[in-house]
Structure formats: structure tokens, C-alpha cells
Amino acid sequence: MAMSAISIGGALGLILPPRSRRGGAVSWSAVTGRRAAAAVVVRASYEAGVGVMATKVGMMTYFDPETGKPVPVTVVGFRDGGNVVTQVKTAATDGYDAVQVGYHGVREEKLTRPELGHLGKAGAPPLRHLQEFRLTAVDPFEPGQELDFAELFKEGDLIDVSGNSIGKGFQGGIKRHNFKRGLMTHGSKSHRQLGSIGAGTTPGRVYKGKKMPGRMGGTKTKIRKLKIVKIDNNLRVVMIKGAVPGKPGNLLRITPAKIVGKNIPKN
């Protein structure tokens, strides 16, 4: 599997034509007659703090030692190689501040020469996954620095967990959108069919975004404000209350939860 780099907040180098004085969206050069383009940096969202990547192990029941009540938790582990800072991006060099983190150590044969050169420049071992965390300040980080989950988070903290959800294939409207089925008796011939999708004369077409059968699952999903129940440094696992996206073995992205007024400004 090739190493993937994810940029937070969408495309930052989107090229759009500048608006002319008359309000048009296209500007033409008087010499070449070609369209003149200008780089526009799209406003991106910041993370509440640097995060890490982890691997989903499975779910279990954890009994609270104080109350004795059962708590459904997801066990999250870390593969060999850990989380290593592979690049520190600054506004002076890259136009924005971010920390690139690598995860999941692999053999050198699994990566290409450009990927090995990028990691070797930071003094990092061969890593399969790369992700960026856009921050307001990157001074405390340097290439080759190892990130320890126990130092970044503690028990009781709220976190955001994102990953690819379980793919369910092509599904109908009832399972995909929670539609109601038709009658099963009394001569009904519409049981699980979709039904009407629009009028024939007006508008004479199907509106975009109409809820219909299609591919379900297998998309990036984020579960916000999950609580860390327990951090076991001996087993190198973390227990998170509730469910997280994906099946066991799925790659997860864990970041501090965004709370307005606490780590995110109200404005």
C-alpha cells in the first residue's frame, strides 16, 4: 500500500481566476490573450491540538472500578514504529502551519524511493501512513520527534476519532435512508420499492441529492467528543467509551475534541 498524505481543511492551493472590474469571473491578458489565474488560499480549519494515528483492535466491556458499572469501550492500539513527526510546515516555507506525522513502521521494500527520501530527511524510519495536523503554533515540534499518546492525552479527556466506516455495498432506501416500507398484505404490490421520485410534467426531472438506493458506508466518518476511559501503557492500548468507525484493524485519527470557548475561540 502506498503512503498517503492528507491535508487538513481541504485544498489549500486552489487556483481560481480573479474577478474583473465589471464583476466578471475571468480576466484576460492583453499580450497573450490567455486567461490570467491567481492563487487563492482557501480558509482551512485548525485542530485543537496535535493528534496521533492508531489502529482499532475491537470492542469489549469495561467495568468501572469505582462504581462497578459496565462501560462499552473500544480498544485502540498502536503498531510498531509509533507516531513520529516527519515534517514541520510553517507559514514562511509552506504558507501555513502544520505538523506532519507518520505511523505504522514497515520494511523499506514497501515504500518508493521518494517516500524513503522524504522520511530519511526527517530522520524517521520507514512509515506507511502520513497525515497532517494544522495548528496555530508549531514551535514545540521538530522532525524525528516521537509522539507519546500518554503525554498528549490523559484519562477523562474528550477526543475526536475519525476513520473509514465499514462498507456495506449497494443498499436500498430502507436500510440506507431509514425509509418506511409499504404494506405487506391487502393487495399491496409496493413493499420495499422506492416509490415516486418526482413529478412527470413539472419539474420533469429528478432533483439532485434525491435520497435513493446506492453505495452505503466506506466513507470517512468522524465521531466527536468521545471519552478516554483508560490508558494502559504496559499493553500500549487505549480504551475509548463508545464505538469508533471501521472494523478491527482500521486506521484511526485521534485529535483533541474541539470545544468552543475552551480550545476553540467563540468568534
Side-chain angles (χ1 to χ4, degrees), residues 77-121:
F78 300 93
R79 295 186 181 272
D80 294 337
N83 289 268
V84 182
V85 177
T86 57
Q87 186 179 1
V88 178
K89 296 187 176 182
T90 61
T93 58
D94 301 277
Y96 63 100
D97 295 330
V99 175
Q100 186 185 86
V101 179
Y103 174 71
H104 188 183
V106 293
R107 301 191 308 271
E108 293 185 359
E109 294 80 5
K110 296 292 184 178
L111 304 180
T112 63
R113 289 186 178 181
E115 293 170 346
L116 292 174
H118 174 70
L119 296 173
K121 184 178 179 181

Side-chain angles (χ1 to χ4, degrees), residues 8 44-49 134 158-160 222 224-225 255-264:
I8 308 305
S45 60
Y46 291 89
E47 298 288 352
R134 187 179 173 96
L158 298 180
I159 57 177
D160 294 342
K222 177 184 287 188
R224 300 187 66 245
K225 297 183 179 180
T255 57
K258 295 182 179 180
I259 303 176
V260 177
K262 182 177 180 181
N263 50 26
I264 297 295

Side-chain angles (χ1 to χ4, degrees), residues 6-12 42-47 132 134 220 253:
I6 300 177
S7 179
I8 308 305
L12 297 176
V42 180
R43 185 177 181 181
S45 60
Y46 291 89
E47 298 288 352
E132 284 187 3
R134 187 179 173 96
K220 183 179 179 180
R253 174 190 176 97

Side-chain angles (χ1 to χ4, degrees), residues 117-202:
H118 174 70
L119 296 173
K121 184 178 179 181
L127 300 170
R128 182 182 296 274
H129 305 287
L130 292 181
Q131 290 195 12
E132 284 187 3
F133 299 89
R134 187 179 173 96
L135 306 174
T136 57
V138 294
D139 297 334
F141 305 98
E142 58 183 10
Q145 176 183 352
E146 295 185 3
L147 300 179
D148 188 5
F149 186 89
E151 296 179 357
L152 301 175
F153 304 93
K154 62 179 183 300
E155 296 180 359
D157 287 352
L158 298 180
I159 57 177
D160 294 342
V161 182
S162 60
N164 290 331
S165 60
I166 298 177
K168 301 181 183 300
F170 194 98
Q171 298 297 332
I174 293 179
K175 181 173 182 178
R176 191 183 185 201
H177 301 294
N178 297 320
F179 287 170
K180 182 181 178 181
R181 66 169 174 82
L183 297 176
M184 302 300 291
T185 57
H186 298 286
S188 173
K189 298 181 180 180
S190 177
H191 306 306
R192 297 179 66 92
Q193 286 83 348
L194 185 62
S196 175
I197 58 175
T201 303
T202 304

